[in-house]
Amino acid sequence: MDILVIIISILLVLITVGTAVGIFIRRTIHKSVDELDERKTSLLNRNMSDEIAKVKKLRMSGETEQKFEAWRKDWDEIIESILPSIEEQLIDIEELAGKYRIRKAKEQLSWVENRLITVEQQLDIMVEDIDRLVSAEQKNRAEISSIKEMYQELSSELLKRRGSYGEVIRELDNEMQENKEALTSFEESTENGSYLQARKQLIEIKERLTTLNEQMDRIPFLLVQARTTLPGELRNLQIGIKQMEDDGYHLGSFSFDTKIDHFQSELERAGAALKELKVTEANTILETIQQETEQMYETLEDEVSFKNKLQSKLPVLREKVADASDQMQKLLHETTHVQKSYLIAKEETQLQTALQKDLRQSQSQLNVIVDVTENQKQTFSSIYEMAEKWLEQMESLSNGIKESIERLQRLRKEEIKAQEKVNQLREVLLETKRIVYKSNLPGVPVSHLESLDQAEGKLTEAKEALSQLPLEMNEVEDLVSEAGTEIEENAKEITQMVETAKLAEHSIQYSNRFRGQSETVREALNEAEEAFLRYEYDLALDLVQKAVSKYEPDLINKVTRHMSA
């Protein structure tokens, strides 16, 4: 009995839930139907009749008449057939929803929505096409007068300046005739109601007339360039080249004749392009010829300029090599003189040999430059480039000779400097010995004496090296440097040793007042004195500090102040 109650309860719940879901879905479908109905009504209310009526103001023939009838037919079909059919479909959908045939209702909703989208797009395209047709007619009507006026102006210009167009006049006449025929075709298209085709024709006519206007402005100048100006410049260029070659200029390497022949062929090609109204192509050809012709003139002018520069520069070149030769003789003389007193490094000798070789090569190169200049065996621009490069090399060579002379002259300065350093070190060594002698110490540790002897030996080696001939300055400088290091370090160590010994001595004397304090203090002070007498001054100072640290913790500072007083 309980199970039956449970089953019945579940069924009731399911029925309730199913009914609620069904009601919700029905409401959703009814809402979608309302929305689609609003879109249908919006389409029905679109003012398409007025849009289509705009076409009636145009010439109703040909293409325009066909389009008008097609648009009117499509609109009639939409309002008389398609939209009423959609209305019936929407009613059927509501009935299906009322019978809970939800799947079928949703399928019908999807079909209706797609059908409405198709109609909306169809009407949008229709409006765009109408606007395009009406706009084409308006633009054609607004522009045709100015285009016809442009055509008349070009016709008059062509008639007045026929003589300036030469052999191109026939092609210009043909172009004008084609434009005239295009205007006639435009009028026929307009008369037949083909406004879109007429629009396309008018745009093309305008572009052609604009291009023709620009061409007619440029053609007379380009014809003069191609037939008169540039041929004349090329002839003058040939005459100038021939005259310069007769004067001895070497111009063969520039291939001027080949270039001029090519330019003459290009002039013919430019003329042919003008006959076909290929004005841009002809202009490019002529500009290239003009630019390269100017460049050829500049090359010839440069040759004359370089020749004049070379003629004024040759004396300078000869003077440069003469100065370098004088400097080389000075270097060799200085070397001979220096070798009597100094040993010259192998690297320096090798460098001088290389400098002599470079000088001989520079002299040979100058002879070549002079020969090709005076006998005109090369272009003067290439000779001038050789001369400039030669000057750079000569500058480097001269600097090398001067630097070598300076290095030789520095040897004497380095000798004097080394001798002064030896004298200075000798004074340091003597002062160190005086410090030891005046200190009245019981003795000097053996290590310090040995270091002092070794330092003195190094100084003696340096003095002997300075007295030998020829001097080997690198060796002398090394010995002086070694002696300096040892003597200065030794002087520093001995000075420190003397100061420590004096401090230890005074500290022991001061601490003797504490001998009676204890046997330990007395023995420690005795050990300090013994260390002092053994020349172990650092140990003596350490022992005395430890012996009296209990009674005089600041011993060193107090003794130091006492010694300074």
Side-chain angles (χ1 to χ4, degrees):
M1 185 69 179
D2 292 339
I3 294 173
L4 181 61
V5 171
I6 292 171
I7 293 172
I8 292 172
S9 299
I10 291 172
L11 288 174
L12 288 174
V13 170
L14 292 174
I15 292 170
T16 303
V17 171
T19 303
V21 171
I23 293 171
F24 175 76
I25 294 174
R26 284 175 59 190
R27 287 179 179 175
T28 302
I29 292 174
H30 285 308
K31 182 178 180 182
S32 298
V33 169
D34 292 341
E35 291 174 352
L36 293 176
D37 186 61
E38 288 179 4
R39 288 173 63 181
K40 179 211 70 173
T41 303
S42 176
L43 289 174
L44 190 62
N45 292 334
R46 286 186 70 164
N47 199 9
M48 291 305 299
S49 297
D50 290 345
E51 289 291 331
I52 297 172
K54 293 178 182 178
V55 181
K56 288 185 177 181
K57 298 178 182 178
L58 307 179
R59 188 178 297 278
M60 296 299 293
S61 61
E63 180 186 29
T64 301
E65 186 177 9
Q66 293 172 4
K67 287 182 178 293
F68 174 79
E69 293 298 334
W71 290 330
R72 187 172 63 177
K73 180 180 177 182
D74 289 345
W75 175 241
D76 289 344
E77 182 183 2
I78 288 170
I79 61 175
E80 294 174 3
S81 176
I82 296 175
L83 293 182
S85 173
I86 289 174
E87 175 69 25
E88 293 175 0
Q89 288 287 335
L90 292 174
I91 294 172
D92 292 343
I93 291 168
E94 287 188 322
E95 291 177 357
L96 290 170
K99 297 176 181 180
Y100 290 98
R101 296 179 63 184
I102 304 303
R103 179 178 296 177
K104 183 67 174 176
K106 286 184 176 181
E107 290 176 356
Q108 291 295 328
L109 275 174
S110 178
W111 183 89
V112 170
E113 183 175 15
N114 290 334
R115 187 61 173 141
L116 283 171
I117 290 172
T118 301
V119 173
E120 288 169 347
Q121 292 174 343
Q122 182 181 1
L123 292 180
D124 289 341
I125 293 171
M126 188 184 299
V127 171
E128 290 177 3
D129 289 345
I130 292 171
D131 289 342
R132 189 180 300 111
L133 181 64
V134 173
S135 175
E137 188 277 335
Q138 292 173 346
K139 290 179 179 178
N140 290 345
R141 182 157 33 86
E143 295 175 11
I144 185 60
S145 297
S146 61
I147 292 175
K148 285 183 176 180
E149 184 178 348
M150 182 188 296
Y151 173 81
Q152 291 299 330
E153 289 176 355
L154 291 177
S155 296
S156 299
E157 183 71 15
L158 188 60
L159 183 63
K160 283 190 272 185
R161 300 178 59 190
R162 293 185 71 80
S164 62
Y165 294 113
E167 64 267 32
V168 185
I169 190 64
R170 180 177 297 178
E171 190 62 30
L172 291 173
D173 286 339
N174 291 338
E175 183 67 17
M176 288 300 296
Q177 180 61 31
E178 290 178 7
N179 280 300
K180 182 179 180 181
E181 292 172 0
L183 283 170
T184 301
S185 179
F186 164 79
E187 297 289 354
E188 291 174 355
S189 296
T190 303
E191 188 69 24
N192 293 332
S194 301
Y195 295 106
L196 295 177
Q197 180 180 346
R199 182 63 191 157
K200 184 178 179 181
Q201 291 172 330
L202 192 62
I203 290 172
E204 183 178 346
I205 293 168
K206 184 176 181 180
E207 291 175 352
R208 290 182 65 176
L209 289 175
T210 301
T211 301
L212 184 60
N213 183 38
E214 294 173 355
Q215 291 174 336
M216 288 173 63
D217 284 341
R218 296 167 66 189
I219 285 173
F221 172 75
L222 295 178
L223 280 172
V224 172
Q225 285 283 96
R227 299 306 185 203
T228 306
T229 305
L230 290 177
E233 288 186 8
L234 292 178
R235 284 193 298 272
N236 291 335
L237 186 58
Q238 285 177 313
I239 293 171
I241 292 170
K242 181 65 169 58
Q243 184 177 350
M244 287 182 67
E245 288 177 337
D246 291 342
D247 290 341
Y249 285 86
H250 186 85
L251 304 177
S253 61
F254 293 118
S255 302
F256 286 144
D257 292 339
T258 302
K259 291 181 180 179
I260 291 174
D261 290 341
H262 173 68
F263 293 159
Q264 289 171 341
S265 300
E266 288 292 279
L267 286 175
E268 293 299 322
R269 193 162 72 88
L274 285 173
K275 286 182 181 179
E276 298 176 5
L277 294 186
K278 296 178 181 178
V279 177
T280 301
E281 179 182 341
N283 184 66
T284 301
I285 295 171
L286 295 174
E287 282 185 350
T288 301
I289 295 173
Q290 182 69 48
Q291 291 170 0
E292 296 196 15
T293 301
E294 290 174 358
Q295 188 174 356
M296 290 169 69
Y297 272 115
E298 289 176 3
T299 301
L300 294 176
E301 292 171 359
D302 287 343
E303 281 297 296
V304 175
S305 175
F306 285 132
K307 179 181 180 181
N308 294 332
K309 289 180 180 179
L310 280 168
Q311 289 174 344
S312 62
K313 190 178 284 285
L314 285 180
V316 178
L317 303 184
R318 293 190 179 98
E319 184 179 344
K320 286 283 185 183
V321 78
D323 289 344
S325 298
D326 292 342
Q327 287 293 319
M328 180 59 72
Q329 291 302 316
K330 181 179 178 181
L331 172 60
L332 296 177
H333 176 75
E334 188 72 19
T335 301
T336 302
H337 177 72
V338 168
Q339 281 176 334
K340 296 176 182 179
S341 303
Y342 302 94
L343 182 64
I344 299 176
K346 182 180 178 181
E347 293 80 7
E348 186 67 34
T349 304
Q350 291 174 341
L351 177 60
Q352 290 184 11
T353 302
L355 290 172
Q356 288 177 291
K357 181 181 177 181
D358 290 344
L359 179 59
R360 289 194 296 272
Q361 289 179 346
S362 295
Q363 289 170 332
S364 298
Q365 290 172 357
L366 178 59
N367 292 335
V368 172
I369 293 172
V370 172
D371 178 59
V372 294
T373 301
E374 293 178 346
N375 296 304
Q376 301 175 348
K377 295 179 180 180
Q378 289 181 218
T379 61
F380 288 110
S381 55
S382 64
I383 301 172
Y384 189 82
E385 185 177 348
M386 287 171 55
E388 287 293 304
K389 186 175 181 181
W390 183 90
L391 278 172
E392 291 178 5
Q393 295 172 347
M394 182 55 64
E395 187 70 20
S396 177
L397 175 60
S398 297
N399 290 335
I401 295 172
K402 290 176 183 178
E403 289 168 2
S404 185
I405 292 173
E406 290 172 359
R407 282 193 294 273
L408 292 177
Q409 293 173 344
R410 275 202 302 270
L411 288 175
R412 179 57 183 160
K413 295 178 181 178
E414 290 169 356
E415 178 192 2
I416 295 172
K417 183 179 178 182
Q419 186 63 59
E420 290 175 349
K421 183 65 175 178
V422 166
N423 294 337
Q424 178 187 351
L425 292 174
R426 186 173 65 250
E427 290 298 324
V428 173
L429 189 61
L430 291 173
E431 179 62 25
T432 303
K433 290 180 178 180
R434 279 196 295 270
I435 290 172
V436 174
Y437 178 76
K438 292 171 62 178
S439 64
N440 294 320
L441 296 176
V444 177
V446 175
S447 61
H448 288 303
L449 292 174
E450 290 175 348
S451 296
L452 196 60
D453 290 340
Q454 186 175 349
E456 190 169 8
K458 287 289 185 181
L459 183 60
T460 301
E461 288 182 29
K463 289 168 65 178
E464 290 175 354
L466 275 168
S467 65
Q468 293 177 0
L469 290 177
L471 282 176
E472 208 294 282
M473 285 309 301
N474 289 335
E475 181 184 357
V476 169
E477 288 175 346
D478 289 342
L479 289 171
V480 171
S481 177
E482 291 174 6
T485 300
E486 293 209 16
I487 289 173
E488 288 167 359
E489 288 181 356
N490 193 259
K492 182 178 179 182
E493 290 174 359
I494 287 179
T495 301
Q496 182 65 41
M497 180 217 46
V498 171
E499 290 176 355
T500 302
K502 288 182 178 180
L503 184 58
E505 182 181 13
H506 284 80
S507 296
I508 291 172
Q509 292 173 354
Y510 179 84
S511 299
N512 280 333
R513 68 186 65 186
F514 301 111
R515 280 181 177 272
Q517 295 295 329
S518 69
E519 183 64 23
T520 303
V521 172
R522 186 179 63 78
E523 289 177 356
L525 289 174
N526 288 338
E527 288 180 12
E529 288 178 348
E530 290 172 2
F532 184 82
L533 294 173
R534 292 195 305 269
Y535 321 143
E536 296 179 14
Y537 304 117
D538 288 320
L539 177 59
L541 183 62
D542 184 56
L543 289 171
V544 73
Q545 287 184 85
K546 290 179 180 178
V548 298
S549 60
K550 180 179 179 181
Y551 309 102
E552 190 60 80
D554 196 27
L555 174 66
I556 300 301
N557 288 332
K558 183 172 289 188
V559 172
T560 301
R561 288 196 297 271
H562 179 71
M563 291 171 62
S564 301

